[in-house]
Amino acid sequence: MSSSDPKTRPKPGPWPPAPDSAPLPPSTWAKRTGFRPKFSGETNASDSGQITLTPKTREPDNQPDLEAGRTRITPPPALPLPPAAQPVANGESEKVVPAAAGSNKDQSVKRRKESDKGLGLNGNGNGNGNGNGNRSAPVGQPDPNQHPPRRAARNEDVVVIDGVDGDGFVARHSHMKYNLRDTPGLVPIGLYGFQHYLSILGSLILIPLVIVPAMGGDHEDTSRVVSTVLFVSGVTTLLHTSFGSRLPLIQGPSFVYLAPALAIINSPEFQGFNGNNFKHIMKQLQGAIIIASVFQALLGYSGLMSLLLRFINPVVVAPTIAAVGLSFYSYGFPLVGSCLEIGVLQIVLVISFSLYLRKISVFGHRIFLIYAVPLGLAITWAAAFLLTEAGAYSYKGCDVNVPASNIISEHCRAHVARMKHCRVDTSHALKSSPWFRFPYPLQWGTPVFHWKMALVMCVVSIISSVDSVGSYHASSLLVAARPPTPGVLTRGIGLEGVSSVLAGLWGTGTGSTTLTENVHTIAVTKMGNRRAIEVGACVLIVLSLVGKVGGFIASIPEVMVAALLCFMWGMLAALGLSNLRYSEAGSSRNIIIVGLSLFFSLSIPAYFQQYGISPNTNLSVPSYFQPYIVASHGPVRSKYGGVNYVMNTLLSSNMVIAFLFAVILDNTVPGGRLERGVYEWSEPEAARRDPDVAKDYELPFRVGKVFRWVKWVGL
């Protein structure tokens, strides 16, 4: 905007209207489409999914509304905005640029270029629109000649800079306590690091509690796998914060790998085994994960991931990650129903803490919101212990330790399931676990490699990379100066591949990737300092050496695990859909794409999972594992058994179908950059000139100088 005088405003140009001058030549197919729904009247939803209102003429006010959890900015009355320069939520398109004396057409075009590179309002993560610090004034800064700013009334029209919820998804300078490179004292680092890991406890420990029993492992096996997961998570997190994206993101077992792992566990060749087949199946999983991890590392370090970034946008990420959470509905409540009084109590407590009591603060911390999972787990466990000791689940003449196949009494047969799921003393993992145990590589034996299982995991590693792309972008807007460059992102994906290789060698049962829930934790705890994450990772490594810790976690009753997973998977689905805040959530184009992707991600796998199974079929696996035995009865039945296995397994995977539909539709249906919410990544040249960005993402110990010639690994 070159002037505030209406007479000097640029005349309307060709459709769509140009911001101040002739638009820049389109550099991509997405730019050439040029569809902009906020001018077409289809929708005026901002990229956060909220409505951006035209601000009334009033005095400026850029004070943060702490109660609402968002920054409210009202432009000064002397600077009315033309339609082409209305503020938007995330800096994906035009930015609000204050008037400057002597501005001309060249300066206008320059500002427009910077805007397209993501250096505006929130593209740099700081919400002030100053890019590299060379703008004349931040957005919403009052004119010295204006009256002193006053607080906007709660019912006034405002412009939301980063349209997010009241739990912390806001501009980092307003609400984050510690940013990426801040130097808090040792006590805050230790406190927040422990708090950060404790708040995502469910994501770290629940996957071993699901897959180890499915493999036929006992409680001692579960204890050892839990300790291994803690050790590998701590090591890989240290590697990622040092040589990966360098964002404060925790690496751990991902739910993305859970469905294919269960499909491999329930493969037909493993169904005929007698006795404990845990180690045999674990070695098969290790081989598949190692090959897929090498593929992911090559995808990142070779630069191929930077090419795939053109096709990965919020409209693709949202349904893909949401489908991961929604796909496990058959495991959740059906297992909770085996002991309703315990499982429902667990769900009610976690929901109450995270929603109804979330705004209650103790010493400045939202205790119930941050510790919803561990608090709910502790209270439910205590209630189940009291019921067990009071004899609520004791039946005359029945012993819970006697295998069900050896029970003769019909009276005991009727209550054995209830005794197994409701009692808290059925596990002896805590008593049998040693005090010290060092997890070491190849502890389960030499991995076994099968190409069909490895191919399934290779496809899943691509989905895992898509998940990480969304996490990198969202977390950078909270804690860093600007989003990472494509080179930083691809080296992060490459290091995630290396981390998964370590997970395969140590035998965690799944690959290692960035935990999606981590972004929500950063926003809630307001701790974005990488040192706190690193201290917490060191604590994880120490805890993994204490065998009793793994034994204690392994003794969590199965029904409580299922109840926690209901909450975790529901939150994962919501976190996936929250990526739509970077796009036009009200656009009919995006609504249809996301809706179709989610529907077919549930419907097509259901067809594969139910194909060839008659109602009277007597299956040897529990009902909640039936969706993962599709390899033996799927509709793809060619003369090549390996091809049948791969196709039936992949097409029965909800996240694979969601990803295919979303990536094809989003990249073929015309839509503008603002509407699609195309992720903006920092330009490498601009990042090298900006000392803040260089300090945020540059590799330590001068390692980055060695790779300066490799554009997809360096800054």
Side-chain angles (χ1 to χ4, degrees):
M1 181 172 64
S2 59
S3 175
S4 61
D5 187 359
K7 296 181 180 181
T8 61
R9 292 179 184 173
K11 296 181 180 181
W15 186 266
D20 283 313
S21 58
L24 295 175
S27 58
T28 64
W29 179 88
K31 287 184 178 180
R32 289 199 299 271
T33 59
F35 178 71
R36 300 173 65 182
K38 68 176 183 177
F39 293 115
S40 68
E42 177 184 356
T43 176
N44 63 342
S46 70
D47 61 354
S48 64
Q50 302 189 24
I51 303 300
T52 303
L53 302 176
T54 304
K56 298 178 181 179
T57 302
R58 55 171 47 89
E59 297 168 358
D61 180 9
N62 61 347
Q63 301 179 10
D65 186 347
L66 298 179
E67 181 180 354
R70 56 171 66 92
T71 302
R72 295 170 174 260
I73 295 184
T74 307
L79 299 174
L81 300 175
Q86 291 295 332
V88 293
N90 241 347
E92 311 297 349
S93 185
E94 296 83 15
K95 311 298 186 293
V96 181
V97 182
S103 62
N104 52 33
K105 182 176 180 179
D106 294 337
Q107 292 174 335
S108 169
V109 173
K110 180 179 180 181
R111 287 194 297 269
R112 171 64 173 168
K113 289 180 179 179
E114 292 176 348
S115 173
D116 284 341
K117 293 180 181 179
L119 306 184
L121 252 175
N122 205 17
N124 58 2
N126 56 16
N128 59 12
N130 60 354
N132 290 331
N134 55 1
R135 299 282 182 91
S136 58
V139 176
Q141 179 174 336
D143 191 285
N145 298 327
Q146 300 296 329
H147 297 289
R150 62 178 178 83
R151 185 175 182 80
R154 292 192 59 81
N155 58 352
E156 294 177 349
D157 296 334
V158 295
V159 178
V160 180
I161 291 302
D162 192 3
V164 291
D165 60 23
D167 292 334
F169 285 95
V170 290
R172 68 181 183 94
H173 287 289
S174 300
H175 296 277
M176 294 298 293
K177 292 180 179 178
Y178 297 102
N179 296 317
L180 190 60
R181 291 180 292 106
D182 288 345
T183 54
L186 184 60
V187 173
I189 285 180
L191 175 63
Y192 281 100
F194 176 76
Q195 172 182 276
H196 202 98
Y197 279 85
L198 192 60
S199 62
I200 62 170
L201 179 66
S203 302
L204 290 173
I205 67 172
L206 292 181
I207 290 182
L209 300 182
V210 174
I211 65 172
V212 175
M215 287 188 282
D218 55 21
H219 296 293
E220 294 182 8
D221 295 326
T222 304
S223 173
R224 290 194 289 267
V225 173
V226 169
S227 297
T228 304
V229 165
L230 296 180
F231 179 82
V232 173
S233 178
V235 172
T236 55
T237 299
L238 290 175
L239 289 175
H240 190 81
T241 56
S242 300
F243 304 104
S245 69
R246 307 215 69 201
L247 290 167
L249 298 173
I250 297 175
Q251 306 297 298
S254 172
F255 289 117
V256 174
Y257 287 93
L258 181 56
L262 291 175
I264 293 176
I265 291 170
N266 291 281
S267 296
E269 53 263 40
F270 302 146
Q271 298 301 319
F273 287 172
N274 296 322
N276 188 347
N277 55 357
F278 164 73
K279 289 187 177 181
H280 182 79
I281 299 179
M282 176 62 83
K283 290 187 289 186
Q284 305 277 347
L285 277 176
Q286 287 182 266
I289 291 170
I290 290 173
I291 294 178
S293 304
V294 172
F295 169 77
Q296 186 180 14
L298 293 176
L299 188 68
Y301 288 127
S302 67
L304 291 176
M305 192 63 200
S306 60
L307 301 178
L308 294 179
L309 287 179
R310 303 178 183 179
F311 307 102
I312 300 174
N313 298 312
V315 181
V316 175
V317 174
T320 302
I321 304 307
V324 175
L326 295 176
S327 62
F328 297 107
Y329 68 91
S330 62
Y331 183 94
F333 203 82
L335 196 56
V336 172
S338 60
C339 188
L340 281 173
E341 62 269 28
I342 302 300
V344 171
L345 175 63
Q346 176 79 83
I347 294 175
V348 170
L349 284 175
V350 176
I351 292 177
S352 299
F353 292 154
S354 59
L355 293 178
Y356 295 102
L357 304 179
R358 63 192 178 97
K359 292 189 177 181
I360 297 179
S361 297
V362 179
F363 301 110
H365 300 279
R366 293 185 178 183
I367 299 297
F368 293 105
L369 176 61
I370 297 173
Y371 303 123
V373 170
L375 280 176
L377 180 63
I379 295 175
T380 307
W381 206 339
F385 175 79
L386 293 177
L387 289 174
T388 301
E389 292 298 315
Y393 308 118
S394 298
Y395 300 94
K396 185 177 181 180
C398 302
D399 187 358
V400 70
N401 296 316
V402 176
S405 59
N406 296 336
I407 297 178
I408 302 177
S409 171
E410 291 295 332
H411 170 72
C412 293
R413 283 183 178 274
H415 298 96
V416 63
R418 187 169 179 80
M419 294 170 62
K420 177 182 177 182
H421 292 98
C422 295
R423 296 182 66 94
V424 297
D425 57 356
T426 58
S427 171
H428 303 284
L430 183 60
K431 295 180 180 179
S432 60
S433 299
W435 277 103
F436 176 80
R437 181 180 183 276
F438 179 75
Y440 55 92
L442 306 180
Q443 56 189 327
W444 315 117
T446 305
V448 179
F449 301 94
H450 283 297
W451 71 268
K452 60 181 183 180
M453 298 178 183
L455 187 58
V456 170
M457 281 295 185
C458 286
V459 176
V460 174
S461 68
I462 298 177
I463 307 295
S464 172
S465 301
V466 172
D467 181 13
S468 298
V469 167
S471 299
Y472 290 172
H473 187 270
S475 61
S476 67
L477 295 184
L478 288 171
V479 303
R482 279 192 290 173
T485 64
V488 172
L489 189 144
T490 53
R491 85 174 182 224
I493 298 298
L495 191 61
E496 284 191 15
V498 174
S499 300
S500 290
V501 171
L502 298 180
L505 290 174
W506 260 260
T508 62
T510 64
S512 178
T513 187
T514 297
L515 299 180
T516 305
E517 303 87 334
N518 201 172
V519 179
H520 176 263
T521 305
I522 292 174
V524 170
T525 61
K526 299 176 177 58
M527 164 53 71
N529 183 257
R530 67 165 68 102
R531 298 303 175 204
I533 302 299
E534 292 170 348
V535 169
C538 294
V539 173
L540 274 190
I541 295 174
V542 173
L543 292 178
S544 69
L545 303 179
V546 182
K548 293 294 183 183
V549 173
F552 176 76
I553 295 174
S555 62
I556 299 177
E558 190 177 18
V559 66
M560 294 171 58
V561 173
L564 286 177
L565 285 172
C566 288
F567 175 80
M568 298 301 300
W569 286 330
M571 190 176 72
L572 182 62
L575 288 173
L577 292 176
S578 69
N579 282 274
L580 290 174
R581 71 184 184 271
Y582 302 115
S583 66
E584 291 282 3
S587 165
S588 63
R589 172 194 182 274
N590 296 345
I591 290 173
I592 294 173
I593 291 175
V594 173
L596 288 176
S597 301
L598 285 177
F599 177 80
F600 285 112
S601 73
L602 297 176
S603 186
I604 293 179
Y607 165 73
F608 277 78
Q609 294 162 7
Q610 298 169 11
Y611 187 89
I613 297 182
S614 62
N616 298 325
T617 302
N618 185 17
L619 298 174
S620 59
V621 298
S623 59
Y624 45 82
F625 285 146
Q626 289 181 11
Y628 310 107
I629 62 173
V630 67
S632 61
H633 61 78
V636 180
R637 299 183 179 182
S638 66
K639 61 180 180 179
Y640 303 103
V643 174
N644 299 341
Y645 181 95
V646 172
M647 296 302 298
N648 285 325
T649 302
L650 288 179
L651 295 179
S652 66
S653 178
N654 306 79
M655 58 186 175
V656 172
I657 300 298
F659 174 73
L660 291 176
F661 267 86
V663 75
I664 292 174
L665 292 177
D666 185 53
N667 289 279
T668 56
V669 178
R673 292 178 63 86
L674 174 63
E675 184 183 21
R676 299 174 66 201
V678 176
Y679 284 133
E680 294 289 348
W681 308 106
S682 299
E683 293 290 339
E685 295 77 10
R688 293 189 184 98
R689 293 194 301 266
D690 191 334
D692 288 335
V693 179
K695 291 178 181 177
D696 282 343
Y697 299 111
E698 199 167 31
L699 294 174
F701 313 119
R702 301 184 182 274
V703 175
K705 293 185 177 180
V706 180
F707 295 102
R708 282 190 180 276
W709 59 278
V710 187
K711 65 178 181 180
W712 53 82
V713 174
L715 192 62

